[in-house]
């Protein structure tokens, strides 16, 4: 938009000069009335999936009043604020993807066009997030052009599909720049009138506003911004109809990954803007799409030091009760959560977390490589005491030796056996005493489940956001977006 802003400024200067210089229309010369341009942004899945309902209504009426849809106001705000109370949807990654604790062959599992289309089943402005690397948003953008002087109304409907691709590693050719790619497909459906004029243009631009969660000696303008070469695409409506796909890229600057800079989190909100140019005396105001959320990070303790993710969904690692490598762990978690008070150590009213993506029911990673050995070791000491205590139940009859004393919640979380679920748990060690479960489980199943959990952390870029230090946590993760959950699947 830097160049586009310059163009607008230059145009304004020329216009002023022309008026001052005396080339304005002569007194009494009739002024051609400006046409009325109206736009509509529609996210309801029924109409997005069946745009013919819109195009038929437009052709008949020249507006969408019959569908109960009113035109957009000028400069309509389409921001979706983030709050600490926002309950984002969860998604599940099968733990089998991390077999043996290895990085998956395809860590991204990107959305394709058909998947994006098939998951447009509920009205959601923020889009559908398949996983942290895959974002999709679909909408209809409708525009009408009412030529007041002739009474003719031209219409066009654009069905837009936006697919975002988070990335592992830095932008090619750079050691410190993080990036994310986007495909924007703009299907121009049944244009007529002025929209068939090759001089009628539609420009689609990506915009991003970002900020660093902590100071890393860079300006917030560098936290999220478009790649100049992949920022904007302008074509005639006919051109978009013939070639509907355009590619975009967002960038975020960072320092080289190093413990002294921490996670280098840059939080961004992005949207696309439509602008139009028609033959004649008008240029309508720009129109924005709904915002999406994006996070860039550079964390020295992750396998892949730099990356980008879509941060408005909660990742979950799914353990299957029929997976022959971890089934015993899955059974232990499932039965313990179904009846927490019956799990060991015994405690009436015990609550075991991780069964949903809600804030109050999720886990937060502790990274040993970040230097948080104390939390992990204390979790394990408390767990070991429970495993060796009088009354510890014997292995279940269907369990096979050799055994490990398996624990849930996990030692590598702030919600592990030591009870540091929140600052209150740090101050009062008894606040969450015995809010965990242990059981004798087949050793291979227990250890494989642990290896997969670690690979899940690393691949899906789960960060340790210092929950034992409230001020640091507030800086790094004010909206609690770094939580995860543990669905148990059949």
């Amino acid at each position: 938009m830097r160049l586009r802003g310059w163009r607008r400024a230059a145009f304004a200067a020329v216009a002023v000069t022309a008026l001052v210089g005396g080339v304005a229309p002569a007194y009494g010369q009739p002024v051609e009335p400006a046409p009325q341009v109206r736009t509509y942004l529609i996210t309801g899945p029924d109409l997005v999936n069946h745009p013919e309902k819109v195009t038929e209504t437009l052709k008949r009426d020249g507006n969408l009043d019959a569908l109960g849809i009113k035109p957009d106001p000028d400069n309509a705000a389409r921001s979706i604020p983030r709050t600490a109370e926002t309950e984002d949807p969860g998604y599940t990654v099968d733990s089998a993807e991390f077999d043996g604790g290895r990085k998956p062959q395809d860590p991204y599992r990107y959305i394709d066009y058909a998947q994006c289309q098939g998951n447009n089943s509920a009205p959601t402005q923020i889009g559908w997030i398949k996983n942290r690397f895959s974002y999709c948003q679909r909408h209809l953008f409708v525009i009408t052009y009412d030529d007041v002087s002739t009474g003719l109304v031209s219409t066009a409907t654009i069905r837009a599909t936006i697919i975002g691709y988070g990335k592992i590693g830095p932008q090619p050719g750079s050691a410190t720049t993080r990036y994310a790619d986007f495909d924007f497909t703009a299907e121009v459906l049944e244009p007529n009138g002025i929209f068939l004029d090759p001089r009628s243009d539609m420009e689609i631009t990506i915009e991003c506003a970002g900020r660093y969660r902590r100071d890393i000696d860079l300006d917030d303008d560098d936290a999220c911004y478009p790649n100049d070469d992949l920022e904007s695409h302008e074509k005639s409506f006919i051109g978009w109809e013939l070639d509907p796909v355009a590619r975009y890229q967002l960038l975020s600057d960072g320092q080289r990954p190093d413990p002294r800079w921490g996670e280098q989190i840059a939080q961004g909100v992005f949207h696309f803007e439509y602008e139009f140019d028609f033959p004649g005396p008008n240029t309508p105001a720009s129109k924005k799409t709904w915002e999406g959320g994006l996070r860039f990070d550079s964390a020295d303790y992750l396998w892949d030091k730099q990356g980008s993710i879509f941060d408005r969904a909660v990742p979950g690692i799914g353990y299957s009760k029929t997976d022959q490598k971890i089934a015993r762990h899955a059974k232990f978690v499932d039965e313990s959560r179904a009846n927490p008070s019956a799990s060991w150590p015994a405690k009436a009213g015990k609550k075991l977390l991780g069964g949903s993506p809600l804030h109050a029911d999720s886990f937060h990673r502790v990274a040993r490589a970040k230097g948080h050995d104390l939390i992990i070791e204390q979790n394990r000491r408390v767990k070991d005491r429970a495993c060796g205590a009088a009354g510890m139940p014997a292995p279940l009859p269907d369990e096979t030796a050799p055994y490990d004393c398996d624990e849930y919640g996990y030692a590598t979380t702030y919600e592990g056996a030591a009870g540091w679920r929140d600052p209150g748990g740090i101050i009062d060690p008894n606040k969450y005493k015995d809010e965990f479960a242990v059981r004798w489980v087949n050793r291979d199943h227990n250890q494989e489940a642990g290896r997969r959990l670690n690979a899940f952390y690393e691949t899906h870029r789960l960060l340790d956001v210092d929950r034992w230090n409230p001020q640091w946590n507030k800086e790094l993760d004010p909206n609690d977006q770094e939580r995860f959950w543990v669905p148990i699947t059949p």
Side-chain angles (χ1 to χ4, degrees):
M1 292 302 290
R2 290 175 287 278
L3 179 59
R4 290 149 57 86
W6 174 84
R7 286 174 176 164
R8 290 195 192 97
F11 178 82
V14 170
V16 170
T17 301
L19 290 173
V20 172
V23 294
Y27 178 78
Q29 180 176 334
V31 177
E32 183 180 348
Q36 293 184 356
V37 178
R38 299 182 179 89
T39 61
Y40 308 76
L41 187 72
I42 302 168
T43 58
D46 178 58
L47 294 179
V48 173
N49 291 330
H50 300 283
E52 67 277 3
K53 298 179 182 180
V54 171
T55 57
E56 289 169 4
T57 303
L58 278 177
K59 282 192 276 187
R60 184 188 69 224
D61 303 337
N63 58 56
L64 297 179
D65 291 355
L67 297 176
I69 301 173
K70 298 299 182 183
D72 291 330
D74 287 340
N75 300 315
R78 304 197 194 277
S79 176
I80 303 175
R82 306 297 296 157
T83 70
E85 292 74 33
T86 302
E87 296 292 4
D88 294 312
Y91 68 84
T92 301
V93 181
D94 188 344
S95 73
E97 290 187 20
F98 313 107
D99 187 38
R102 294 184 292 272
K103 182 190 296 186
Q105 186 173 4
D106 177 13
Y108 296 120
R109 295 190 175 265
Y110 282 139
I111 296 170
D112 59 27
Y113 185 90
Q115 284 180 317
C116 184
Q117 182 181 34
N119 282 276
N120 186 45
S121 59
T124 171
Q125 287 81 24
I126 65 170
W128 173 57
I129 299 178
K130 176 185 176 184
N131 60 49
R132 282 192 147 194
F133 302 110
S134 300
Y135 169 87
C136 131
Q137 182 192 116
R138 303 183 81 226
H139 62 260
L140 292 182
F141 189 88
V142 181
I143 181 168
T144 67
Y145 182 100
D146 184 354
D147 188 335
V148 177
S149 62
T150 65
L152 297 177
V153 179
S154 305
T155 63
T157 299
I158 297 96
R159 180 161 63 182
T161 301
I162 303 165
I163 299 179
Y165 308 93
K167 295 293 182 178
I168 296 171
Q171 182 196 32
S174 171
T176 58
T177 303
R178 297 79 61 92
Y179 73 114
D181 288 337
F182 295 84
D183 285 345
F184 193 114
T185 302
E187 303 171 75
V188 181
L189 307 174
E190 300 193 38
N192 57 52
I194 199 167
F195 297 102
L196 296 177
D197 189 316
R199 295 171 296 171
S200 296
D201 290 341
M202 177 170 68
E203 185 174 16
I204 302 174
T205 303
I206 193 169
E207 298 281 0
C208 189
R211 61 166 297 190
Y212 294 100
R213 299 300 337 163
R214 279 188 183 169
D215 182 15
I216 59 169
D217 286 350
L218 293 172
D219 294 333
D220 281 344
D221 287 347
D222 300 321
C224 186
Y225 61 94
N227 181 332
D228 287 340
D229 296 329
L230 295 169
E231 177 181 7
S232 183
H233 297 274
E234 183 176 5
K235 310 175 191 177
S236 68
F237 284 84
I238 297 172
W240 282 105
E241 195 172 8
L242 296 173
D243 182 16
V245 180
R247 291 180 168 82
Y248 299 83
Q249 188 175 79
L250 291 177
L251 305 176
S252 175
D253 293 342
Q255 304 289 358
R256 286 186 178 273
D258 187 282
R260 71 189 176 113
W261 295 115
E263 288 78 5
Q264 300 189 48
I265 296 172
Q267 214 87 44
V269 288
F270 64 89
H271 68 268
F272 289 81
E273 289 190 9
Y274 293 87
E275 292 196 44
F276 308 96
D277 189 19
F278 300 103
N282 81 98
T283 300
S286 63
K287 300 295 182 178
K288 300 177 181 179
T289 66
W290 285 98
E291 286 181 349
L294 186 63
R295 188 203 81 196
F296 302 92
D297 67 84
S298 301
D300 182 72
Y301 54 82
L302 291 178
W303 284 346
D304 298 290
K305 312 301 184 188
Q306 297 145 297
S308 64
I309 57 129
F310 298 98
D311 57 8
R312 300 193 179 190
V314 184
I317 179 169
Y319 288 113
S320 169
K321 291 186 288 185
T322 56
D323 185 327
Q324 294 305 304
K325 293 186 177 181
I326 50 85
R328 303 308 299 179
H329 174 74
K331 175 181 171 69
F332 159 51
V333 173
D334 192 42
E335 293 179 350
S336 297
R337 289 200 309 221
N339 190 1
S341 298
S343 66
W344 183 263
K347 180 181 180 181
K350 179 193 299 186
K351 181 177 181 181
L352 297 176
L353 306 180
S356 79
L358 300 177
H359 288 280
D361 192 27
S362 46
F363 291 129
H364 300 82
R365 179 198 182 179
V366 176
R368 183 185 293 276
K370 190 177 177 178
H372 286 173
D373 305 62
L374 172 64
I375 298 172
I376 296 173
E377 295 308 321
Q378 183 64 8
N379 281 336
R380 287 181 173 158
R381 279 193 291 270
V382 174
K383 181 266 292 188
D384 289 342
R385 284 199 297 268
C387 296
M392 169 70 179
L396 296 176
D398 59 347
E399 201 69 59
T400 57
Y403 309 116
D404 272 350
C405 188
D406 197 358
E407 87 268 28
Y408 183 83
Y410 302 115
T412 53
T413 68
Y414 285 94
E415 294 79 15
W420 286 335
R421 291 189 179 180
D422 59 28
I426 299 170
I427 297 169
D428 178 7
N430 292 318
K431 182 175 181 179
Y432 298 113
K433 180 177 173 59
D434 294 337
E435 295 281 307
F436 66 99
V438 293
R439 178 187 287 183
W440 294 111
V441 168
N442 174 269
R443 179 171 299 162
D444 291 339
H445 285 228
N446 171 51
Q447 295 185 5
E448 173 64 10
R451 286 190 291 267
R452 292 184 182 185
L453 179 63
N454 185 67
F456 164 71
Y457 289 155
E458 298 291 328
T459 302
H460 282 254
R461 309 195 68 77
L462 269 295
L463 301 177
D464 180 340
V465 288
D466 288 290
R467 283 180 68 83
W468 70 344
N469 185 316
Q471 183 55 41
W472 291 354
N473 181 249
K474 183 178 179 181
E475 292 174 4
L476 287 172
D477 195 24
N479 299 323
D480 191 23
Q481 292 173 259
E482 280 305 290
R483 63 193 191 273
F484 74 95
W485 62 303
V486 186
I488 302 299
T489 60

